[in-house]
Amino acid sequence: MNTSVGFVGDFREAAPYINYLRGKTLVIGVAGSLLAGEPLKRLAADLNLLASLGVRLVLVHGSRLQITATLAAQGRTPAYHNGRRITDEAALQLAKQVSGMLRSDIEAALCSSISQTPQRSKPLSVASGNFLSARPLGIIDGIDMGYTGQVRKIDTESIVNRLDDGALVLIGPLGHSLSGKTFNLSMSDIAEACAIALNAEKLIYLIEEEGILNSDGLLMTNLSAQEARQLMAQQPPPPQLRLIQSAVNAVENGVARTQILSGRDDGSLIRELFTRHGAGTSVARDSFVNIRAAHSDDIPNITALIRPLEEQGILLRRSREYLEDQIHTFSVLEHDRHIYGCVALKTFSDPHSGELACLVVSPEAQDGGYGELLLAHLFKKARDAGMTRLFALSTHTGEWFVERGFQTASAQDLPPERRRDLIDSGRNSKVFVYVL
Ligand code: COA
Ligand code: ARG
């Protein structure tokens, strides 16, 4: 029976993430619209589960939907500027009421979902308090934003003390100034500031959408900070713009990742954290895909990539000794620290000729452009080494090379030592050449 699919495969995939997250701090910002009914129950259950795995949790909640709904029920039109609420005296009173109610609802949900976490005998303790100070946003474009505020300072020490005690820290969207005034703040500003101040491993935003969507409405699964900046230049709608900006600020200030995903789909948070591909958008400072020189620790991964193809006769069999001896000629493609492909550059006594060998992309990652990236990498490596001609020998993949600019060649074109090998191997491979 193949045990690598289904539960066993999923568990094996999740195990490294379970170990990696133990003791790490996650700041989770959740939109107010997700703080009722099923989404709240599921969030509470997932938070209990994460806490039981030793993850340190800071939950920052929003209250936009609740304030807007109450204002509407009172026949008042909410006022916004640049996507931010303009908070007058009455809206501030509402913000305080709503914040208190939401805190109570979240605490209750965390208590009731405890039954799903068998090893916990008592509810996760929740710590709330004055963990941040605020100041007014002031006058923006000539508009007085009233009691809308911004984060002034995060009391990191108090939060860390509560986390050390094993509590989940719950922070609402209000802050107080040193003069004793209360301000209405945005959930994303607070979550970002907390994640940076705490040097959190992750900043997570739970929102209504699947994640950050491109102009065709399709989910963007991975973004480097640079790609996220390019996206901002395309002027996405203000709520997404602010999340992307916040994601970039966080990853450029020490947070390893910002992950933006649906808080409505059951299981999104768990899939995002414990699977390789996640569920929403993951933003990191650097690009997720990296091609680097291989080293001997990579041999087991390279072997796992090439063995099935050797068995099918697509690649020539390479022994462990050969790989150890030639590992310096290999490059590997990593996505999120997992190896998905490799390629080697063989050299000959003629310094102007080289050979692309052992180009493989693992089956689950094919057709995503990794083959093309490995090829571009090898072209550069060959050019940097002063080569002018790159050969490729293939029994099955000729078309792929031809479509990428290789020309058919003959055994006579190969450097003499390779010509002899080809005849000895009896594989009758076709020869292709690329002029660099
Ligand atoms: N012949 C022709 N085209 C092929 C092909 C083949 N043998 N294998 C894949 N393609 C096409 C795919 O259909 C896809 O076409 P599309 O873009 O029109 O949908 C395209 O190549 C995918 O390109 P890309 O995503 O850049 O490549 P990849 O990451 O899937 O990797 C290989 C391409 C060839 C490296 C990968 O298929 C592989 O590992 N194959 C087995 C090993 C092998 O044959 N290696 C070469 C021997 S040196
Ligand atoms: N589980 C991993 C993590 O939490 C990978 C998630 C990848 N997510 C994505 N949207 N691409 O870092």
Side-chain angles (χ1 to χ4, degrees):
M1 191 171 94
N2 183 0
T3 50
S4 62
V5 289
F7 172 74
V8 174
D10 293 346
F11 193 73
R12 286 181 179 148
E13 182 174 343
Y17 295 113
I18 296 175
N19 288 322
Y20 154 76
L21 284 174
R22 190 173 305 118
K24 299 280 190 330
T25 301
L26 267 51
V27 175
I28 303 180
V30 55
S33 62
L34 298 165
L35 294 173
E38 285 303 312
L40 175 58
K41 273 194 208 152
R42 289 197 292 254
L43 171 66
D46 289 346
L47 292 173
N48 268 312
L49 179 103
L50 290 173
S52 74
L53 296 176
V55 182
R56 292 153 69 90
L57 296 166
V58 177
L59 183 68
V60 182
H61 73 82
S63 60
R64 174 179 281 235
L65 178 95
Q66 288 78 359
I67 298 178
T68 304
T70 318
L71 283 174
Q74 294 172 353
R76 301 176 50 217
T77 319
Y80 297 100
H81 177 62
N82 276 352
R84 279 182 191 266
R85 184 185 302 286
I86 303 170
T87 312
D88 60 13
E89 190 83 47
L92 180 66
Q93 291 315 313
L94 262 182
K96 291 189 201 172
Q97 286 169 20
V98 161
S99 201
M101 284 193 315
L102 286 172
R103 191 182 79 198
S104 170
D105 289 350
I106 293 169
E107 286 174 357
L110 283 167
C111 271
S112 71
S113 69
I114 198 75
S115 54
Q116 294 164 29
T117 321
Q119 72 274 42
R120 268 183 186 272
S121 52
K122 67 181 181 65
L124 174 64
S125 70
V126 178
S128 312
N130 57 341
F131 295 120
L132 60 103
S133 56
R135 57 188 154 105
L137 200 55
I139 296 171
I140 309 251
D141 304 326
I143 294 169
D144 185 352
M145 301 298 289
Y147 290 98
T148 301
Q150 58 188 312
V151 177
R152 180 171 176 202
K153 226 179 190 168
I154 302 285
D155 182 356
T156 316
E157 197 187 332
S158 297
I159 297 179
V160 169
N161 286 341
R162 304 304 194 285
L163 293 173
D164 288 347
D165 286 346
L168 172 149
V169 172
L170 176 61
I171 303 180
L174 295 175
H176 315 292
S177 71
L178 297 186
S179 64
K181 280 191 183 140
T182 300
F183 289 93
N184 179 23
L185 272 63
S186 100
M187 171 277 280
S188 60
D189 286 0
I190 300 178
E192 174 197 322
C194 281
I196 294 172
L198 292 166
N199 206 7
E201 188 65 21
K202 289 175 188 291
L203 166 62
I204 294 172
Y205 285 121
L206 298 177
I207 59 170
E208 287 289 341
E209 295 80 19
E210 236 184 313
I212 299 297
L213 309 178
N214 68 13
S215 50
D216 297 326
L218 297 174
L219 177 71
M220 309 188 72
T221 49
N222 294 303
L223 289 170
S224 64
Q226 196 196 355
E227 288 161 344
R229 281 189 192 290
Q230 283 161 4
L231 199 63
M232 284 193 277
Q234 294 163 18
Q235 304 194 317
Q240 290 240 329
L241 179 69
R242 275 181 47 210
L243 285 183
I244 304 170
Q245 178 71 66
S246 178
V248 171
N249 293 348
V251 298
E252 289 189 340
N253 285 285
V255 177
R257 264 185 204 178
T258 305
Q259 285 153 288
I260 304 170
L261 53 137
S262 165
R264 203 163 276 283
D265 285 351
D266 188 11
S268 279
L269 180 59
I270 300 300
R271 273 194 294 129
E272 180 62 30
L273 294 175
F274 299 109
T275 68
R276 230 174 269 138
H277 290 103
T281 303
S282 180
V283 184
R285 206 189 56 171
D286 302 314
S287 177
F288 282 83
V289 178
N290 173 34
I291 300 181
R292 59 164 174 81
H295 38 72
S296 49
D297 291 355
D298 297 318
I299 291 177
N301 286 313
I302 295 177
T303 309
L305 279 173
I306 63 179
R307 278 292 174 261
L309 295 158
E310 291 174 354
E311 277 154 20
Q312 292 164 42
I314 296 175
L315 292 180
L316 193 67
R317 190 155 193 104
R318 286 163 176 92
S319 65
R320 167 95 201 184
E321 293 70 33
Y322 173 91
L323 289 175
E324 265 163 18
D325 189 51
Q326 294 298 315
I327 192 70
H328 62 280
T329 65
F330 278 78
S331 303
V332 288
L333 180 147
E334 289 181 316
H335 176 137
D336 207 9
R337 296 187 287 269
H338 184 85
I339 291 177
Y340 283 103
C342 65
V343 68
L345 178 62
K346 272 194 185 172
T347 54
F348 299 107
S349 49
D350 167 13
H352 301 298
S353 296
E355 181 186 334
L356 170 154
C358 227
L359 170 68
V360 181
V361 171
S362 72
E364 83 265 26
Q366 286 180 8
D367 290 349
Y370 287 172
E372 198 104 41
L373 289 177
L374 283 163
L375 187 62
H377 168 83
L378 210 77
F379 284 164
K380 179 168 185 317
K381 194 171 165 186
R383 282 193 190 104
D384 290 350
M387 294 175 183
T388 53
R389 298 193 311 164
L390 188 68
F391 290 98
L393 274 70
S394 178
T395 49
H396 291 71
T397 322
E399 261 317 287
W400 193 86
F401 288 116
V402 170
E403 284 170 17
R404 281 149 189 86
F406 280 77
Q407 287 157 21
T408 40
S410 74
Q412 301 313 313
D413 300 311
L414 289 169
E417 65 262 45
R418 186 61 176 112
R419 207 179 307 151
R420 273 194 304 278
D421 271 5
L422 180 62
I423 295 164
D424 292 350
S425 78
R427 283 170 54 81
N428 204 15
S429 304
K430 291 206 170 105
V431 180
F432 301 89
V433 65
Y434 188 93
V435 180
L436 291 159

